[in-house]
Amino acid sequence: MQLTVWTYEGPPHVGAMRVATAMEGLHYVLHAPQGDTYADLLFTMIERRAKRPPVTYTTFQARDLGGDTAELFKSAVRDAYERFKPEAMIVGASCTAELIQDDPGGLGRSLGLPVPIIPLELPSYQKKENWGAAETFYQIVRAIAGARAPAAGAERTARPADRRPRCNILGPTALGFRHRDDIAEVTRLLAQLGIDIHVTAPWGARPSDIAALGDADFNVVLYPEIASPAAQWLKKAFGQPATTTVPIGVSATREFIAEVAALAGVDAAPLLDWEQSRLPWYSRSVDSTYLTGKRAFIFGDATHVLAAARIASRELGFAVVGLGSYTREYARELREAARLLGVDALITDDYLEVEARIAELQPELVLGTQMERHIAKRLGIPCAVISAPVHVQDFPARYSPQMGFEGANVIFDTWVHPLMMGLEEHLLTMFRDDHEFHDEAGPSHLDKRKSAAADESRSAPLPIVWAADAERELRKVPFFVRGKARRNTETFAQTQGLTQITVETLYDAKAHFAR
């Protein structure tokens, strides 16, 4: 387990919290010491949920280690059941409590409560948050839906001719990147195809809904990192096929519609013929020439990175100069995508490695997590957030999906606007010598207060002038430290009483500040 200032994923029991918090009628009892009890902060402050997450901690302290911590856990389970009356409970241990080896599953079952007690074995020192969410969802589905699974070898009953096709949507959880809005967008697409939603899980599902998952005709897997293990088990147990295309981007949405239509036996043509996204139109317009060839670096979870690489390279005409992910379980798929783009995949959970790669590649746009947002800000590069981990500003109150045709519109705005703002700054730099734009310019002719400002400007010292050869030499300095080099050189020139900076001045300043 690595201690770090920042981390892309929490321990696996945080993934279990995300599943429990997304569901209704389920309660999570976590054997954890004082100090590991931060679920409220994650969900009520970052995601801004209106109610507490359904998590109860044993919250043992150092003095309890000399006593019976197992009895403390049993009391916590019993009290949680009496207070919340859930339909099912999941029990497990945090990374610290895992060392005590109290066996939460066995202790929970020994209480004889009238609801399913589902044990979670989440190795905190080998696995992380997304794996924990996937394992938790899989265990819940297997424990609750498994009781209704048909006998091995039994043929699946055909859908009645008078019933519309129906599917389950699998994968969305609490604290997920735009999961709430993705559900709404995908549900709308499926409704336009004449397909009913049977169960959405974990988001909004109750244990009784989980029990009925096998009654759907097929499964829609929105987030493979979380839903794939459960979808694979449902295919084996109930014979339910599952989608493999994640509908992020225009082309992927069209492929998703065709795939779903084939599984449901419906006609996809009417929906495919109705183009609802402005992204393809812009990519064909004359204005898009500013975007063509922009160098982009992409990092995040596997689902969003793979989708972003496809959109950037195929739909917006960016040059993807690097991509990577902290999701090690999908390293093979990521490396294959990187190979097709002619770049090396960066598979790491160390943000310092990511920062070093961005500084090395010098992209014009970073697509990443909140970590990359901070990195890009320090390096002066435009950035758009495309993946968790995210902060409160990435849980907007407005409708802001990533999936479907409307999601493509949101992505277009999110990615293009930082570049356009960069263009605005570039234009200001180009016209810095214009009397309206340069830093030492007097006030605008529209400014009614110009006389006072003009008097002030007349008393100001003359600006320092850079010789042409010094400007050319400065451009050889890497862009992310060029501003600092310029400021240091000008400060040095002022202390020396110089009004013009030459190449010699530039090197003298470098030697001065390197002492």
Side-chain angles (χ1 to χ4, degrees), residues 2-10 128 299 326 348-356 358 369-379 389 391:
Q2 183 180 9
L3 296 178
T4 181
V5 178
W6 286 343
T7 180
Y8 286 100
E9 293 184 90
K128 294 198 172 183
F299 194 88
Y326 54 82
T348 183
D349 58 3
D350 186 343
Y351 67 92
L352 295 176
E353 288 186 40
V354 179
E355 181 169 7
I358 293 173
T369 73
Q370 69 166 335
M371 311 293 199
E372 285 67 50
R373 173 163 47 204
H374 296 311
I375 292 169
K377 185 176 182 180
R378 284 202 302 275
L379 300 180
H391 216 303

Side-chain angles (χ1 to χ4, degrees), residues 240-368:
Q240 291 175 322
T243 59
T244 58
T245 305
V246 178
I248 301 179
V250 175
S251 59
T253 296
R254 294 177 67 83
E255 290 178 18
F256 171 80
I257 290 170
E259 182 182 18
V260 166
L263 291 174
V266 298
D267 184 12
L271 187 54
L272 291 174
D273 292 341
W274 181 36
E275 187 172 288
Q276 304 166 67
S277 175
R278 292 175 60 83
L279 189 152
W281 163 82
Y282 188 88
S283 296
R284 295 190 297 266
S285 72
V286 66
D287 291 341
S288 70
T289 55
Y290 174 68
L291 303 178
T292 304
K294 286 293 182 183
R295 293 163 50 82
F297 177 85
I298 306 170
F299 194 88
D301 67 46
T303 293
H304 289 92
V305 165
L306 292 171
R310 177 172 179 163
I311 296 168
S313 61
R314 300 185 191 179
E315 298 180 19
L316 287 173
F318 292 169
V320 178
V321 297
L323 64 82
S325 176
Y326 54 82
T327 311
R328 296 180 182 276
E329 289 81 3
Y330 284 79
R332 181 177 300 174
E333 291 86 346
L334 290 157
R335 289 194 175 101
E336 176 60 19
R339 185 189 66 80
L340 294 175
L341 292 167
V343 299
D344 294 325
L346 177 63
I347 311 300
T348 183
D349 58 3
D350 186 343
Y351 67 92
L352 295 176
E353 288 186 40
V354 179
E355 181 169 7
R357 182 66 63 88
I358 293 173
E360 173 193 348
L361 295 172
Q362 300 186 22
E364 296 166 278
L365 176 66
V366 172
L367 304 173

